[in-house]
């Protein structure tokens, strides 16, 4: 267990919707020169003949963009905790070129980690389940459906989502500061704060932990260590873990806490909605943000359906991230 934060968190990650709507510096538009630099790096990487996941940073040479990517890493780690990059010409690229460009940029931010039991390092967010409901099927993942996703974190320091195609309607991206949610709980419902630091069971939802072999892992929703606050929130994973023998039953207090987190995550005070455009990349620090999306209606034509590419990245400075967040935002066995 970590210490308990009893005062409002005052770091730059504790933002509100109004602040982000008033200051759009979180949107970074790539210049024509930067796009040309990425195109050249894609050509070099493809010229190596390596499969995507074997491409290294040295295979994807960038001249000026590493400084901007370093600034992005600093913003994610010690700033607001998210940023949107805009302007990649995905409509002009083949699937291979899109993938190499995205993978190559990710190499400058961190190391890719597996996203599921199949060992995938490069993921795709598409509706492939024909209307399956993850709320009633504990082994279904929201990113394979068109359903509205609950607010959650992913199993790495950073998640990147690159938009290739948008839906016919809906599918807006929602982002909220988890440190601001904490501040709202502390302000309005201080009695629930101790529950944030109690261990809970989280369901792997049809997959098993590579270390323990168990279908669940145990951690707390929040951790406070080294002056940093981190939140790990996956309500449906917490609730579906109740199916396992030996799981400590959720109390009324726990369910009230989960309701309150959802309430503040969805609130007009904190919830920031942003439209995804083709060529956008949304970068998020999972320790200090929660993300979600609205339900969407997809196109009938297969080649027009909504499609995001996804990376899960651990920072290169892993020791610093471990020391900073104490692994509480992202459990080491959650992947």
């Amino acid at each position: 267990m970590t210490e308990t934060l009893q005062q409002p968190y005052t770091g730059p990650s504790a933002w509100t919707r109004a602040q982000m709507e008033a200051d759009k510096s979180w949107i970074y538009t790539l210049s024509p020169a930067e796009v040309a630099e990425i195109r050249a790096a894609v050509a070099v990487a493809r010229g190596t003949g390596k499969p995507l996941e074997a491409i290294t940073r040295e295979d994807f040479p960038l001249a000026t963009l590493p400084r901007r990517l370093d600034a992005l890493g600093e913003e994610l780690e010690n700033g607001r905790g998210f940023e949107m990059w805009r302007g990649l010409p995905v409509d002009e690229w083949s699937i291979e070129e899109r993938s190499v460009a995205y993978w190559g940029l990710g190499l400058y931010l961190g190391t890719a980690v597996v996203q599921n039991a199949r060992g995938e390092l490069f993921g795709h967010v598409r509706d492939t389940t024909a209307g399956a409901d993850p709320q009633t099927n504990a082994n279904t993942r929201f990113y394979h459906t068109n359903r509205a996703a609950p607010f959650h974190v992913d199993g790495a320091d950073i998640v990147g989502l690159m938009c290739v195609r948008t839906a016919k309607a809906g599918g807006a991206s929602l982002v909220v500061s988890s440190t601001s949610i904490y501040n709202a709980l502390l302000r309005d419902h201080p009695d629930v704060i101790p529950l944030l630091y109690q261990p809970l069971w989280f369901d792997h939802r049809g997959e098993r932990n590579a270390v323990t072999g168990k279908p669940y892992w145990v951690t707390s929703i929040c951790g406070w260590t080294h002056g940093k606050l981190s939140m790990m929130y996956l309500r449906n994973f917490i609730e579906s873990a109740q199916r396992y023998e030996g799981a400590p039953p959720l109390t009324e207090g726990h369910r009230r806490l989960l309701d309150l987190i959802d309430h503040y995550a969805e609130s007009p005070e904190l919830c920031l909605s942003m439209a995804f455009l083709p060529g956008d990349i949304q970068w998020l620090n999972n320790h200090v943000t929660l993300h979600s999306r609205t339900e969407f209606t997809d196109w009938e034509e297969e080649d027009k359906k909504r499609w995001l590419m996804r990376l899960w990245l651990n920072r290169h400075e892993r020791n610093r991230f471990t020391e900073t967040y104490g692994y509480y935002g992202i459990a080491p066995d959650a992947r």
Side-chain angles (χ1 to χ4, degrees), residues 178-189:
S178 55
T179 56
S180 289
I181 292 174
Y182 189 96
N183 288 347
L185 291 170
L186 186 63
R187 178 191 67 206
D188 300 336
H189 305 279

Side-chain angles (χ1 to χ4, degrees), residues 44 110 175 214 235 249 253 280:
V44 172
V175 179
K214 296 179 179 178
R235 177 171 187 159
D280 286 354

Side-chain angles (χ1 to χ4, degrees), residues 1 5 16 19 51-52 98 106 110 113 119 135 145 151 153 181 186 190 199-200 203 206 248 269 299 308 311 324 330:
M1 296 292 291
L5 177 61
T16 65
Q19 290 171 336
L52 179 68
R98 296 169 190 156
V113 297
Q135 298 285 28
T145 76
F151 279 93
V153 300
I181 292 174
L186 186 63
L200 293 171
D203 191 1
E269 175 190 4
W299 301 92
L308 307 180
L311 284 174
T324 298
I330 306 300

Side-chain angles (χ1 to χ4, degrees), residues 130-194:
D133 187 354
Q135 298 285 28
T136 57
N137 184 342
N139 294 336
T140 297
R141 298 300 179 90
F142 278 94
Y143 67 88
H144 285 155
T145 76
N146 70 332
R147 307 279 180 142
F151 279 93
H152 65 283
V153 300
D154 287 334
D157 294 330
I158 295 167
V159 57
L161 292 166
M162 184 174 81
C163 180
V164 179
R165 295 194 295 257
T166 59
K168 185 176 183 180
S173 177
L174 307 177
V175 179
V176 64
S177 162
S178 55
T179 56
S180 289
I181 292 174
Y182 189 96
N183 288 347
L185 291 170
L186 186 63
R187 178 191 67 206
D188 300 336
H189 305 279
D191 60 299
V192 304
I193 295 299

Side-chain angles (χ1 to χ4, degrees), residues 4-32:
T4 301
L5 177 61
Q6 298 290 351
Q7 301 295 326
Y9 187 76
T10 58
S13 66
W15 47 264
T16 65
R17 185 187 76 170
Q19 290 171 336
M20 294 301 100
E21 290 183 343
D23 177 7
K24 295 294 182 67
S25 60
W26 50 271
I27 301 176
Y28 180 72
T29 301
L30 291 161
S31 70

Side-chain angles (χ1 to χ4, degrees), residues 39-78:
R39 285 184 188 273
V42 169
V44 172
R46 293 181 70 198
T48 66
K50 294 181 179 179
L52 179 68
E53 294 174 2
I55 292 171
T56 67
R57 181 165 166 166
E58 290 69 31
D59 299 324
F60 194 84
L62 296 171
T64 65
L65 269 171
R67 290 189 293 275
R68 186 62 190 82
L69 286 157
D70 286 345
L72 169 60
E74 178 65 21
E75 187 64 54
L76 294 175
E77 184 173 347
N78 296 310

